[in-house]
Amino acid sequence: MNLNTLQPKVTEILNQSNLSVEHRLSEVCDLLQKQIPHYDWVGFYFKNGDKNELKLSSYAGEPTDHTIIPFGKGICGQVAVSNQNFVVDDVTAQDNYIACSIHVKSEIVVPLFVNGENIGQIDIDSHTKNGFNEKDERFLEFVNTEVAKIWE
Ligand code: SME
């Protein structure tokens, strides 16, 4: 799977300014989850108002109980405070991890910056160990940069 071939489609989806942000993000989640074999769950979390917690927005894949995640908790909550990409090769090796499904083996979370501020993140789960590498990081940074343009 060449991730770069999906870039124009991501941009096209996000440019549909007649649709709500949630709808556009939902289409992006569906695209990634359907087209990339190792992306089993794809979702966007955003800072919940002025609370130090993340709230789940659009996603594709199985529903999760973890719609609210406090800053610092789990992989997502750690990225909310570190502002850094987090690639987890093997989720069983993580102490500070929130399990969404017993099938998940690896995970990647990439923060989403608007005008330099970390306002949320894209989170991908894979049922394959060592599912993610630098190519996924660069691709998901591209996706988040495109999403940020909605507000910039
Ligand atoms: N595993 C994440 C929680 C979100 S679910 O993957 C959808 C975490 O540890 O923060």
Side-chain angles (χ1 to χ4, degrees):
M1 176 79 220
N2 184 352
L3 297 174
N4 295 339
T5 60
L6 290 175
Q7 289 187 354
K9 186 67 190 163
V10 169
T11 304
E12 190 186 313
I13 289 169
L14 293 169
N15 281 344
Q16 301 172 104
S17 51
N18 56 316
L19 301 178
S20 70
V21 173
E22 287 71 23
H23 189 119
R24 283 180 266 172
L25 293 180
S26 181
E27 284 193 23
V28 170
C29 291
D30 284 340
L31 175 78
L32 271 50
Q33 198 244 6
K34 288 201 178 82
Q35 297 298 323
I36 308 173
H38 63 292
Y39 285 24
D40 291 295
W41 189 94
V42 179
F44 287 94
Y45 284 91
F46 291 102
K47 183 171 163 54
N48 190 13
D50 55 10
K51 296 183 188 157
N52 282 333
E53 65 183 28
L54 295 161
K55 186 175 181 201
L56 181 61
S57 174
S58 305
Y59 68 94
E62 291 296 307
T64 173
D65 290 339
H66 303 290
T67 54
I68 298 283
I69 298 178
F71 280 15
K73 300 281 185 203
I75 308 305
C76 297
Q78 291 178 75
V79 169
V81 291
S82 74
N83 305 322
Q84 308 277 336
N85 296 349
F86 200 152
V87 178
V88 179
D89 292 333
D90 174 4
V91 297
T92 63
Q94 292 292 320
D95 294 332
N96 189 358
Y97 170 71
I98 301 166
C100 281
S101 149
I102 53 161
H103 303 295
V104 175
K105 302 279 195 308
S106 59
E107 177 164 2
I108 183 170
V109 178
V110 173
L112 198 161
F113 300 98
V114 173
N115 297 321
E117 186 188 349
N118 180 354
I119 64 142
Q121 53 194 237
I122 190 166
D123 175 21
I124 322 285
D125 288 336
S126 181
H127 296 174
T128 308
K129 243 191 205 182
N130 301 304
F132 305 103
N133 60 32
E134 292 78 14
K135 291 193 176 113
D136 299 281
E137 288 191 73
R138 299 295 88 76
F139 174 65
L140 296 170
E141 286 165 359
F142 167 84
V143 171
N144 282 355
T145 301
E146 293 297 288
V147 172
K149 288 178 186 168
I150 293 174
W151 298 289
E152 285 174 339

